Amino acid sequence: MSTDRTRPAGRRDQSGPRSAPSGPRSTSSAPRSVPPQRSRRLQPHRPQRPHQWFAERLLAVLSGQRPVHWMLGHTIGEAYDQLAELAPSTPLRATHGSRPVLRHCRGAQPATGVVEAFASIAAGDRVRAMAFRLEQGADQRWRCAAVELGGERLTAGAPGPR
């Protein structure tokens, strides 16, 4: 049994743990100062805003990538039922093999606990517009109250597209 605790059991080579390479060897004995490299991965991740998060979910449902029941608990009133009527026709489906992507999403807060947002969705050479309203409940969760997509309105009480 080896008494060297820096090496895993069964390891036979004599080298220990290695540190990151320090670059080319310098002839001077003074330590070199290397500025830290900036990277996108090292910057803190900014959480998505509620309207951005919801726009991604709505896009996934309306493009057929996710089932409509994925939106359960994220809609208010009849908005879910009307979304369920629209989703089978997949109005934002991929065209000519290009998957739809969220290009822009912006929101405004006309009142406390309410966000009215719009988004543009691109699929190939086609761009569609989507607008929706989010309301924050007493439990501080955001839920969709209304959706408009390419002239087709999905709000509580309004007839769904046929």
Side-chain angles (χ1 to χ4, degrees):
M1 182 88 190
S2 173
T3 59
D4 185 4
R5 298 192 191 274
T6 62
R7 201 174 330 139
R11 185 169 171 180
R12 299 185 196 285
D13 65 342
Q14 296 300 316
S15 63
R18 295 184 183 174
S19 62
S22 60
R25 298 267 182 207
S26 173
T27 56
S28 70
S29 60
R32 289 184 359 162
S33 173
V34 178
Q37 293 181 353
R38 302 275 180 198
S39 170
R40 284 183 168 257
R41 294 188 329 198
L42 297 179
Q43 293 177 1
H45 176 69
R46 229 175 49 183
Q48 282 187 327
R49 293 184 174 155
H51 60 276
Q52 294 168 324
W53 180 84
F54 186 82
E56 299 245 351
R57 290 182 79 88
L58 187 59
L59 172 62
V61 170
L62 294 176
S63 65
Q65 297 172 30
R66 292 286 187 166
V68 73
H69 69 266
W70 197 48
M71 297 303 292
L72 276 172
H74 298 290
T75 54
I76 296 173
E78 294 180 29
Y80 175 81
D81 296 333
Q82 292 159 351
L83 184 60
E85 286 180 31
L86 184 64
S89 67
T90 58
L92 298 178
R93 69 184 161 275
T95 57
H96 306 293
S98 60
R99 188 177 207 174
V101 293
L102 188 63
R103 287 179 35 175
H104 300 285
C105 185
R106 303 277 190 264
Q109 195 167 12
T112 304
V114 175
V115 173
E116 291 181 348
F118 65 92
S120 64
I121 292 121
D125 59 351
R126 188 174 179 191
V127 177
R128 300 279 308 262
M130 175 173 60
F132 52 94
R133 177 182 173 100
L134 300 177
E135 295 179 3
Q136 193 173 31
D139 60 356
Q140 301 301 308
R141 291 181 54 198
W142 292 95
R143 291 180 180 86
C144 178
V147 176
E148 284 188 37
L149 178 67
E152 300 168 88
R153 188 177 178 125
L154 298 174
T155 57
R162 298 280 173 195

